[in-house]
Amino acid sequence: MAPPFLDPPAAVRPRDALGHADRVALSASTTDGAHLRTEDVRAWIAERREANVFHVERIPFAELDQWGFEEATGNLVHRSGRFFTIEGLHVVEADGPHGDGPYREWQQPVIKQPEVGILGILAKEFGGVLHFLMQAKMEPGNPNLVQLSPTVQATRSNYTKAHGGTNVKLIEYFAPPDPEHVIVDVLQAEQGSWFLQKSNRNMIVETVDDVPLWDDFCWLTLGQIAELMHEDETINMNARSVLSCLPYHDKAPGALFSDVQLLSWFTNERSRHDIRASRIPLKEVRDWRQGVEEIEHEDGRYFKVLAVAVKGSNREKVTWTQPLIESVGMGLIAFLVREIGGVPHVLVHARADGGFLDTVELAPTVQCTPQNYTHLPAEERPPFLDAVLGAPRSRIRYEAIHSEEGGRFLSVRARYLAIEADDTVDPPPGYAWVTPGQLTALTRHGHYVNVEARTLLACLNAAAAQPQGGA
């Protein structure tokens, strides 16, 4: 039976970013959707979870199908040469324009995935209000298996069917898009600590077509999505990343630093970090050991590489095996927030990671796994970590647990926070107070705002655009 359709809207007309911002604000202030009530979404996700057969099982590396360790390098690769590889990375980092500052060096496994994937959300007006087509998508690494994802979430290998599976639904809207109907289209990086120069195309494209409403899809307003972002592990990482790039009106102009000053500071941060990252054979990585079922650090910290066998009855390919990365401990990701001259600001960190394409991206105030630092004295722990861990409930303006991308990470979860700071916070080098509006403007360009900061930005922007306000 053909999927049902919802009523078509008026014709779409090309608009500039300012015109889109008006419509985004209306969608963010609308919490009654044309398809589902917000309070029914969790039950609908649970229904989709029960309607399909999902199973994920850890397996020894030897049981991987189509995957294996290269004899010469020890790299973990797919037989087709597609998808991704697990390789070694050697990073040398020195601060200062001539590498004359503090010095660090380390080696680690890393995901090398050179192809650019598509993270695309289809938008459409119902009753004059923009709705976004979200998919209840199973990913093997999601702790609860099914979360709301973009309409299309696919690597090039997937949508060109290198896995031998079925077509990716609705890919025709994004590869390529109609330029007159594009709201967002920008390359954004993923985690620089686990990926080597990995980017995805973050897209929102509007349509007037009668789009089939398959069982695993639903139309939601931005206001509904904003409410769901306050719930644990409901909106997946890729959806959060795409939604952070939406154009918003800056309701509180008057930043501490002008845009020119902010870009100058950021350029200086990129210039003063000397990071040299080079690929090395996985079997030569120091301080890591490979067992039958996992690759792990000798101290038991950071993360592990392991293998899983997967069954997902609603996926383009029903069964497969693959490597995944598993974090050791829950992450902590937080913005300190405060008003300066009556204008909301967040404290960003110019973070350098070995896997970034351009050395530094703007990150949250705190971004780490606290368990990795418990053995260190206070002066060697990340700045503001202890302040965030000890923050009283009265200062928490946003809190939710979100998991990271379930196609590459197994149950990698982090507590996301926005915490009100007092007026005595003095940013050390590498930190600066910026407005959410300035960060939002920077998401229109790739490799400025990292994926963790984009999650928090998406949560703060959507909540601030709602009538009740809030952080």
Side-chain angles (χ1 to χ4, degrees):
M1 180 179 295
F5 298 93
L6 293 177
D7 294 335
V12 177
R13 300 179 183 88
R15 294 174 172 89
D16 59 17
L18 186 62
H20 286 311
D22 291 332
R23 304 164 72 222
V24 167
L26 177 59
S27 183
S29 65
T30 303
T31 55
D32 295 322
H35 182 200
L36 282 176
R37 297 185 307 168
T38 311
E39 56 266 32
D40 295 333
V41 173
R42 289 298 293 269
W44 176 76
I45 295 173
E47 174 190 305
R48 301 319 307 153
R49 189 179 293 117
E50 292 298 320
N52 295 285
V53 177
F54 302 126
H55 182 70
V56 180
E57 177 186 5
R58 293 180 61 158
I59 59 174
F61 289 124
E63 294 183 16
L64 282 167
D65 180 31
Q66 305 295 315
W67 292 84
F69 293 97
E70 287 183 329
E71 183 174 351
T73 64
N75 294 347
L76 186 51
V77 303
H78 193 267
R79 184 178 299 175
S80 68
R82 304 287 294 275
F83 303 104
F84 62 96
T85 62
I86 306 293
E87 306 180 1
L89 185 68
H90 182 192
V91 183
V92 178
E93 176 187 358
D95 286 349
H98 307 292
D100 53 0
Y103 172 86
R104 291 197 305 153
E105 180 181 9
W106 73 92
Q107 296 182 357
Q108 65 170 86
V110 72
I111 302 172
K112 175 62 177 174
Q113 186 173 340
E115 61 184 30
V116 174
I118 289 179
L119 308 178
I121 297 179
L122 201 60
K124 182 175 177 177
E125 280 191 3
F126 297 100
V129 178
L130 271 181
H131 286 60
F132 302 89
L133 187 59
M134 309 300 290
Q135 180 183 176
K137 187 175 182 68
M138 178 271 191
E139 290 288 350
N142 289 342
N144 52 0
L145 290 179
V146 178
Q147 297 181 18
L148 289 181
S149 80
T151 315
V152 168
Q153 176 181 307
T155 65
R156 184 184 300 275
S157 292
N158 283 339
Y159 67 77
T160 57
K161 297 192 288 185
H163 50 38
T166 59
N167 292 327
V168 174
K169 291 183 175 70
L170 304 174
I171 186 65
E172 64 271 16
Y173 286 96
F174 304 96
D178 180 344
E180 290 191 346
H181 297 158
V182 169
I183 298 176
V184 168
D185 192 357
V186 60
L187 287 177
Q188 296 288 7
E190 299 207 6
Q191 289 88 347
S193 54
W194 290 332
F195 284 104
L196 180 59
Q197 300 181 357
K198 173 69 172 70
S199 296
N200 276 324
R201 193 173 178 183
N202 287 228
M203 308 175 72
I204 299 178
V205 177
E206 190 173 0
T207 185
V208 295
D209 294 348
D210 290 334
V211 180
L213 192 62
W214 286 283
D215 288 340
D216 292 324
F217 292 79
C218 69
W219 292 99
L220 298 174
T221 69
L222 188 56
Q224 292 180 289
I225 295 170
E227 291 186 5
L228 293 168
M229 282 187 184
H230 285 78
E231 299 188 16
D232 293 346
E233 298 175 317
T234 300
I235 308 294
N236 84 350
M237 183 198 84
N238 293 319
R240 302 190 306 262
S241 176
V242 174
L243 293 167
S244 74
C245 302
L246 278 167
Y248 284 87
H249 288 298
D250 190 352
K251 291 185 175 181
L256 178 63
F257 299 109
S258 70
D259 292 347
V260 171
Q261 290 172 324
L262 173 59
L263 287 172
S264 178
W265 170 80
F266 183 53
T267 302
N268 181 70
E269 288 300 315
R270 279 186 165 171
S271 300
R272 77 179 181 86
H273 287 275
D274 180 13
I275 294 185
R276 302 172 188 179
S278 55
R279 297 160 63 187
I280 61 174
L282 182 61
K283 68 180 183 181
E284 294 181 7
V285 174
R286 295 193 306 264
D287 303 324
W288 292 76
R289 59 190 175 212
Q290 180 177 326
V292 173
E293 295 189 349
E294 58 190 26
I295 301 170
E296 62 180 341
H297 192 269
E298 291 179 350
D299 293 335
R301 300 191 183 98
Y302 312 118
F303 62 91
K304 300 177 181 179
V305 180
L306 48 86
V308 295
V310 186
K311 183 173 185 179
S313 61
N314 67 343
R315 292 292 298 259
E316 292 85 13
K317 187 171 178 61
V318 175
T319 61
W320 72 94
T321 64
Q322 69 169 91
L324 287 175
I325 281 181
E326 179 184 52
S327 180
V328 177
M330 180 179 288
L332 181 68
I333 297 171
F335 269 141
L336 291 183
V337 301
R338 62 172 288 200
E339 288 193 355
I340 301 175
V343 177
H345 284 68
V346 298
L347 186 61
V348 298
H349 175 209
R351 179 184 173 95
D353 271 326
F356 283 155
L357 181 65
D358 200 355
T359 311
V360 165
E361 294 190 10
L362 296 178
T365 318
V366 172
Q367 176 188 318
C368 69
T369 301
Q371 183 175 323
N372 292 332
Y373 298 92
T374 55
H375 64 294
L376 296 176
E379 63 272 14
E380 296 182 26
R381 291 155 64 87
F384 305 108
L385 172 58
D386 292 329
V388 167
L389 288 173
R393 299 292 310 175
S394 61
R395 287 187 174 271
I396 296 177
R397 298 293 172 261
Y398 173 84
E399 180 178 16
I401 293 173
H402 295 298
S403 54
E404 306 308 327
E405 206 273 309
R408 298 293 176 267
F409 305 124
L410 180 63
S411 298
V412 175
R413 307 160 74 233
R415 184 181 175 213
Y416 280 80
L417 296 159
I419 298 174
E420 184 180 352
D422 59 42
D423 295 340
T424 63
V425 172
D426 184 19
Y431 292 77
W433 289 106
V434 306
T435 68
Q438 288 177 307
L439 280 185
T440 298
L442 290 175
T443 64
R444 297 171 198 163
H445 310 277
H447 309 289
Y448 278 77
V449 183
N450 81 351
V451 66
E452 292 84 1
R454 295 198 302 273
T455 278
L456 279 171
L457 185 61
C459 299
L460 298 179
N461 274 344
Q466 293 184 295
Q468 68 270 25

